[in-house]
Coordinates of all heavy atoms in Angstrom, one line a residue:
Chain A
S39 N -22.3 30.7 -13.5 CA -21.8 30.7 -14.9 C -22.9 30.4 -15.9 O -22.7 30.5 -17.1 CB -20.7 29.6 -15.1 OG -19.9 29.6 -14.0
Y40 N -24.1 29.9 -15.4 CA -25.1 29.4 -16.3 C -26.4 30.2 -16.0 O -26.9 30.1 -14.9 CB -25.3 27.9 -16.2 CG -24.1 27.1 -16.4 CD1 -23.3 26.6 -15.3 CD2 -23.6 26.9 -17.7 CE1 -22.2 25.9 -15.5 CE2 -22.4 26.2 -17.9 CZ -21.7 25.7 -16.8 OH -20.5 25.1 -17.0
T41 N -27.0 30.8 -17.0 CA -28.2 31.5 -16.8 C -29.3 30.7 -16.2 O -30.1 31.1 -15.3 CB -28.7 32.0 -18.2 OG1 -27.6 32.6 -18.9 CG2 -29.8 33.1 -18.0
A96 N -40.5 26.2 -15.4 CA -39.7 26.7 -16.4 C -38.2 26.6 -16.0 O -37.3 26.1 -16.8 CB -40.0 28.2 -16.7
C99 N -37.0 22.9 -15.9 CA -36.8 22.3 -17.3 C -35.6 22.9 -18.0 O -34.8 22.2 -18.6 CB -38.0 22.5 -18.1 SG -39.4 21.6 -17.6
A100 N -35.4 24.2 -17.8 CA -34.2 24.9 -18.4 C -32.9 24.3 -17.8 O -32.0 23.9 -18.5 CB -34.3 26.4 -18.2
G103 N -32.4 20.7 -19.2 CA -31.9 20.8 -20.5 C -30.4 21.2 -20.5 O -29.6 20.6 -21.3
V104 N -30.0 22.1 -19.7 CA -28.6 22.6 -19.7 C -27.7 21.4 -19.1 O -26.6 21.2 -19.7 CB -28.5 23.8 -18.8 CG1 -27.0 24.1 -18.4 CG2 -29.1 25.0 -19.5
D106 N -28.2 18.2 -19.3 CA -28.1 17.2 -20.3 C -27.1 17.6 -21.4 O -26.2 16.8 -21.8 CB -29.5 17.0 -21.0 CG -29.4 16.0 -22.1 OD1 -29.3 14.8 -21.8 OD2 -29.5 16.4 -23.3
L107 N -27.1 18.9 -21.8 CA -26.2 19.4 -22.8 C -24.7 19.3 -22.3 O -23.8 18.9 -23.0 CB -26.6 20.8 -23.2 CG -25.8 21.3 -24.4 CD1 -26.0 20.5 -25.7 CD2 -26.2 22.7 -24.7
R110 N -23.3 16.0 -22.4 CA -23.0 15.5 -23.8 C -21.8 16.2 -24.4 O -21.0 15.5 -25.0 CB -24.2 15.9 -24.7 CG -25.2 14.8 -24.8 CD -26.5 15.3 -25.3 NE -27.5 14.3 -25.2 CZ -27.8 13.5 -26.3 NH1 -27.3 13.7 -27.4 NH2 -28.7 12.6 -26.1
I111 N -21.7 17.5 -24.2 CA -20.6 18.2 -24.9 C -19.3 17.7 -24.5 O -18.4 17.3 -25.3 CB -20.8 19.7 -24.6 CG1 -22.0 20.3 -25.4 CG2 -19.5 20.5 -25.1 CD1 -22.1 21.8 -25.2
Y115 N -16.7 20.3 -18.7 CA -17.6 21.3 -18.3 C -18.4 21.0 -17.0 O -19.0 21.8 -16.4 CB -18.6 21.6 -19.4 CG -18.1 22.5 -20.5 CD1 -17.9 22.0 -21.8 CD2 -17.9 23.8 -20.3 CE1 -17.5 22.8 -22.8 CE2 -17.4 24.6 -21.3 CZ -17.2 24.1 -22.6 OH -16.7 24.9 -23.6
L146 N -57.7 26.9 -7.1 CA -58.5 27.3 -8.3 C -59.8 26.6 -8.3 O -60.9 27.3 -8.6 CB -57.7 27.1 -9.6 CG -58.4 27.5 -10.9 CD1 -58.5 29.0 -11.0 CD2 -57.7 26.9 -12.1
A150 N -63.4 28.5 -8.3 CA -64.3 28.3 -9.4 C -65.6 27.7 -8.9 O -66.6 28.0 -9.5 CB -63.7 27.4 -10.4
S151 N -65.6 26.9 -7.9 CA -66.9 26.3 -7.4 C -67.7 27.2 -6.4 O -68.7 26.7 -5.9 CB -66.6 24.9 -6.8 OG -65.7 25.0 -5.8
Chain B
S39 N -29.4 16.4 -32.7 CA -28.1 16.3 -31.9 C -28.4 16.7 -30.5 O -27.6 16.5 -29.6 CB -27.1 17.2 -32.4 OG -27.0 17.2 -33.8
Y40 N -29.6 17.3 -30.2 CA -29.8 17.8 -28.9 C -31.2 17.2 -28.3 O -32.2 17.3 -29.0 CB -29.9 19.4 -28.9 CG -28.7 20.0 -29.5 CD1 -28.7 20.5 -30.8 CD2 -27.5 20.1 -28.7 CE1 -27.6 21.0 -31.4 CE2 -26.4 20.7 -29.3 CZ -26.4 21.1 -30.6 OH -25.3 21.7 -31.1
T41 N -31.1 16.7 -27.1 CA -32.3 16.0 -26.5 C -33.4 17.0 -26.4 O -34.6 16.7 -26.7 CB -31.9 15.5 -25.1 OG1 -30.7 14.9 -25.2 CG2 -32.9 14.5 -24.6
A96 N -42.4 22.7 -20.7 CA -41.2 22.0 -20.4 C -40.3 22.0 -21.6 O -39.1 22.3 -21.5 CB -41.5 20.6 -19.9
C99 N -38.9 25.6 -22.4 CA -37.9 26.1 -21.5 C -36.6 25.3 -21.6 O -35.5 25.9 -21.5 CB -38.4 26.0 -20.1 SG -39.8 27.1 -19.8
A100 N -36.7 24.0 -21.8 CA -35.5 23.2 -22.0 C -34.7 23.7 -23.2 O -33.5 23.9 -23.2 CB -35.8 21.7 -22.1
G103 N -33.1 27.1 -22.6 CA -31.9 26.9 -21.8 C -30.7 26.5 -22.6 O -29.6 26.9 -22.5
D106 N -29.4 29.2 -25.0 CA -28.6 30.2 -24.3 C -27.2 29.6 -24.0 O -26.2 30.3 -24.2 CB -29.4 30.5 -23.0 CG -28.5 31.4 -22.1 OD1 -28.4 32.6 -22.4 OD2 -28.0 30.9 -21.1
L107 N -27.2 28.3 -23.6 CA -25.9 27.8 -23.3 C -25.0 27.6 -24.6 O -23.8 27.9 -24.6 CB -26.1 26.4 -22.7 CG -24.8 25.7 -22.2 CD1 -24.2 26.5 -21.0 CD2 -25.1 24.3 -21.7
R110 N -23.4 30.8 -25.4 CA -22.4 31.2 -24.5 C -21.1 30.4 -24.7 O -20.0 30.9 -24.6 CB -22.8 30.9 -23.1 CG -23.4 32.1 -22.5 CD -24.2 31.7 -21.3 NE -24.9 32.8 -20.8 CZ -24.5 33.5 -19.7 NH1 -23.4 33.3 -19.1 NH2 -25.3 34.5 -19.4
I111 N -21.2 29.1 -24.9 CA -20.0 28.2 -24.9 C -19.1 28.6 -26.1 O -18.0 28.9 -25.9 CB -20.4 26.7 -25.0 CG1 -21.1 26.3 -23.7 CG2 -19.2 25.9 -25.3 CD1 -21.5 24.8 -23.7
Y115 N -20.7 26.0 -32.2 CA -21.8 25.0 -31.9 C -23.1 25.5 -32.5 O -24.1 24.8 -32.7 CB -22.0 24.8 -30.4 CG -21.0 23.9 -29.8 CD1 -20.1 24.3 -28.9 CD2 -21.1 22.5 -30.1 CE1 -19.2 23.4 -28.3 CE2 -20.2 21.6 -29.5 CZ -19.2 22.1 -28.6 OH -18.4 21.3 -28.0
L146 N -61.2 24.1 -17.3 CA -61.2 23.6 -15.9 C -62.2 24.5 -15.1 O -62.9 23.9 -14.3 CB -59.7 23.8 -15.3 CG -59.6 23.4 -13.8 CD1 -59.7 21.9 -13.7 CD2 -58.3 23.8 -13.2
A150 N -65.2 23.0 -13.0 CA -65.3 23.2 -11.6 C -66.6 24.0 -11.2 O -67.1 23.8 -10.1 CB -64.1 24.0 -11.1
S151 N -67.1 24.8 -12.1 CA -68.3 25.6 -11.7 C -69.6 24.8 -12.0 O -70.7 25.4 -11.9 CB -68.2 26.9 -12.4 OG -68.2 26.8 -13.8

Side-chain angles (χ1 to χ4, degrees):
Chain A
S39 317
Y40 305 101
T41 316
C99 293
V104 166
D106 176 73
L107 187 64
R110 266 162 188 262
I111 289 183
Y115 279 111
L146 180 69
S151 58
Chain B
S39 317
Y40 305 102
T41 317
C99 293
D106 175 74
L107 187 63
R110 266 161 188 263
I111 290 182
Y115 279 111
L146 180 70
S151 58

